[in-house]
Amino acid sequence: MVSETLYLITDGAPEEVDALREALASVPPGTTLVQLRPRRAQPAREVHEIGRALRAITRRAGARLVVNDRVDVALAIGADGVHLPERGLPIACARRQLGEHAIVGASAHDGDGVAAKIRQGADFLTVSPVFATPSKPGATPLGLVGLRALVYARGGGAAPLFALGGIVRPEQVKEVLGQGAQGVATIRGVLGARSPAAAARAFYEATRP
C-alpha cells in the first residue's frame, strides 16, 4: 500500500542528493516517496553508486525509494520498488523479479493509460504533465480539468495517483488534491528550492487535510 503524499524525484546529481537529505529531515517519516530517475545513457555502475547513496539516506529518514525503469538497479541496491515508464516493462514482469512485497508504480498520460495500468496491478500512478513544465516543452498540460478526468478514469482502483509536472509552489498542492489526487510529485519545487528543508515542509503541510 502506498500512503505517502509527497513524491520527490531526483537524478542523483550531488546537489540534489544534498537537497534530498535536507528535505527528508524536515518531514515526518513515512510521508515521502523518493524516486531515482537516472539520466539517459548513464552507466549502470554510476547509477548503482548513486542508488546505494540514496538507499542509505532514505533508510535513515524512514522514506521509501523506487528506481525509475531499472529493475536491475532496484534489486541490486535493495530499493523498495520501481516506477515504470508508460512503455516500460510490463508490471507483472517487474513484480515477478522484485517479489510480491515490492512497490511497482507506473506512468500514465491519458484515461486509457490510467485504466490499463490499474488493470495490470500498479501500486501507484503518476500522471503528467498537469501544468506546463520545461522538462516537457512540447506536451499539452492536462490542467485541473484534465487531471480530474484521469482520477475519474482510475475508477474504484486502490492505486493512488500522484500529479506530476509544473508543480513548483505549495499553493498548487491544494488545487491538485482537490481534483482527487492522493499526492504531488515534484523536482524543482523542493530539490531545486533555495531551502529544500523549508520547501519540503511547506509542500508536506499543504498535503495535510
Side-chain angles (χ1 to χ4, degrees), residues 73-87:
V73 174
L75 275 169
I77 66 173
D80 295 290
V82 291
H83 176 272
L84 301 173
E86 192 163 37
R87 297 185 179 180

Side-chain angles (χ1 to χ4, degrees), residues 73-151:
V73 174
L75 275 169
I77 66 173
D80 295 290
V82 291
H83 176 272
L84 301 173
E86 192 163 37
R87 297 185 179 180
L89 279 175
I91 290 170
C93 179
R95 200 177 296 284
R96 280 197 302 271
Q97 295 182 62
L98 293 171
E100 288 300 315
H101 297 294
I103 305 168
V104 181
S107 292
H109 302 93
D110 56 31
D112 289 342
V114 168
K117 299 302 181 183
I118 292 289
R119 287 195 305 270
Q120 293 164 21
D123 293 310
F124 71 91
L125 299 174
T126 58
V127 296
S128 66
V130 176
F131 303 116
T133 173
S135 64
K136 292 187 176 181
T140 301
L142 293 166
L144 295 177
V145 173
L147 174 60
R148 182 68 182 179
L150 296 194
V151 171

Side-chain angles (χ1 to χ4, degrees), residues 191-209:
L191 302 184
R194 180 173 300 178
S195 171
R201 187 71 192 180
F203 268 77
Y204 164 72
E205 292 292 348
T207 67
R208 309 322 296 163

Side-chain angles (χ1 to χ4, degrees), residues 145-201:
V145 173
L147 174 60
R148 182 68 182 179
L150 296 194
V151 171
Y152 180 80
R154 170 180 169 269
L161 185 151
F162 290 88
L164 168 65
I167 301 172
V168 295
R169 303 186 311 276
E171 308 87 75
Q172 294 170 292
V173 175
K174 293 294 186 186
E175 295 179 324
V176 166
L177 299 188
Q179 306 310 310
Q182 172 174 302
V184 295
T186 184
I187 306 170
R188 293 178 296 140
V190 171
L191 302 184
R194 180 173 300 178
S195 171
R201 187 71 192 180

Side-chain angles (χ1 to χ4, degrees), residues 15-77:
E15 63 274 15
E16 287 191 0
V17 173
D18 290 340
L20 179 66
R21 187 182 292 107
E22 293 180 33
L24 292 178
S26 71
V27 296
T31 60
T32 305
L33 188 61
V34 176
Q35 181 194 130
L36 168 59
R37 187 166 70 186
R39 295 184 295 276
R40 289 186 179 180
Q42 196 168 12
R45 183 181 294 273
E46 186 176 320
V47 177
H48 178 258
E49 290 174 356
I50 293 169
R52 288 183 61 191
L54 293 182
R55 176 72 288 192
I57 291 169
T58 53
R59 277 202 177 112
R60 285 195 295 270
R64 294 196 287 184
L65 174 69
V66 296
V67 180
N68 191 65
D69 203 21
R70 298 292 301 268
V71 175
D72 57 339
V73 174
L75 275 169
I77 66 173

